Amino acid sequence: MGWRFQLKRSRMLWDLGLLLPALVFGGLLHPELTGELDDCFCDVESIDVFNNFKVFPRIKKLTEKDYFRYYRVNLKRPCPFWPDDGHCSIKDCHVEPCPESKIPVGIKSGNYNKYSQVANLMADMTECEQANELGAINSTLSNQSKEAFADWARHDDAQDHFCELDDETSPDAEYVDLLLNPERYTGYKGPPAWRVWNSIYEENCFKPRSVYRPLNPLAPSRGDDNGEGFYKWLEGLCLEKRVFYRLISGLHSSINIHLCGDHLLDEGWGRSVWGPDLQEFRRRFDMGETKGEGTRRLKNLYFLFLIELRALYKVVPYFERAIVGLYTGNSREDRATKELLLELLSEIKAFPMHFDEKSMFAGHKMEAKTLKEEFRLHFKNISRIMDCVGCSKCRLWGKLQIQGLGTALKILFSEKEIQKLPEHSPSKGFQLTRQEIVALINAFGRLSTSIHQLHNFRLLLEEKR
């Protein structure tokens, strides 16, 4: 790493007032978990400091707000790929839906509440006027034609989505309080869990047929190799396909850190005790036990963090519009939530080492379009695999984090639409539903928590030495 880069990094940390804490964080988990990340111009240490001191405290407060703690999800959708194994019978797999009486009135009144009450009223009036104008025409259409138009509309709406969305109008869709159903180790493991991750890696990560080694980074490798042969094919992929694999690997690593950081330690005397499990963490990430792959897994987590960070940077103009509110029905709470979100976004805008996505899909126009569509469909397929997770709590957090990442990708590929947003027209141009906003912020919050938990594991490892 050249001296100019070192100087720039030190200057950035100094500007943040965090140079001394950065040196404290120097006791890294792995000797190799340091320096610049592949495919982007940023280093691990800068992300550690920025996240743990600037992002994590704010995102934690934000996800505790009413607007972000209630997530509507259908946990009863059948697995579309193989016979259902049945739901996990372990008590910690259970998800407790939120009683209707506990849901803020502005949230349960409908997903259209993306704006202020005034904007909602205007939107409702516009819809009524359109309905009156089109009523005479619609009455001449056959039922078959109406169904075809509805199908076309759903198809058009789905073109920007990178994941399979739940039907929020389904009677099986329920609101869940994320704070009362935290992501943590539930005991769900074995063949059903392996089948989900193997399907994600083997069928959706652009694996060449010539590669016989399992893509699942937690699968046992063949022979005594340290993964170098496996990663040669990855380096040979185009940037887009390499990024896709790293996103999935980063998400997998993040989830595993959550499970290790909030592990079931004891069930004595009728109560469960949860906390960090250092032995489980070592099994999944230690250099020796993973034959050198632990560092790669963790670097992919940092890479995913940068991707979602970049999406939040890109979507700032959308949230800065006065007309875009975070509506729950409590005006004081809503203003405080919006202010906290803008405060977080302001910190993100100040970060100087963002991922540059302009190099993606930048080749020949038709080739780039085909590759982007392939990229989108692979990711959408992964979102459908989430309905095959047998543990309800794992399914909940898997669906939420996949939708959050899918929303981040939607933002990254909608830059021109975001830049053209009209200030006072809530129904035109780029849009995010409440469900997408909740998933985006909570998914990023999970990544921020993972990096923060890494610091805690570093301290535990230091104590054991």
Side-chain angles (χ1 to χ4, degrees), residues 218-252:
L218 297 186
S221 60
R222 299 180 181 181
D224 298 324
D225 71 279
N226 63 358
E228 292 301 327
F230 164 67
Y231 279 94
K232 283 182 180 178
W233 77 263
L234 185 62
E235 293 168 1
L237 291 178
C238 66
L239 173 64
E240 292 82 2
K241 294 182 179 180
R242 192 164 64 245
V243 163
F244 191 97
Y245 172 81
R246 297 190 69 188
L247 295 180
I248 300 306
S249 172
L251 178 61
H252 196 179

Side-chain angles (χ1 to χ4, degrees), residues 109-123:
S109 60
N111 192 47
Y112 50 81
N113 283 312
K114 294 176 286 187
Y115 318 107
S116 66
Q117 284 181 289
V118 174
N120 286 330
L121 180 60
M122 292 172 60

Side-chain angles (χ1 to χ4, degrees), residues 406-422:
T407 303
L409 294 173
K410 170 182 173 178
I411 292 167
L412 288 177
F413 297 122
S414 303
E415 182 177 10
K416 292 180 180 179
E417 289 79 2
I418 294 173
Q419 291 175 344
K420 296 177 182 177
L421 279 170

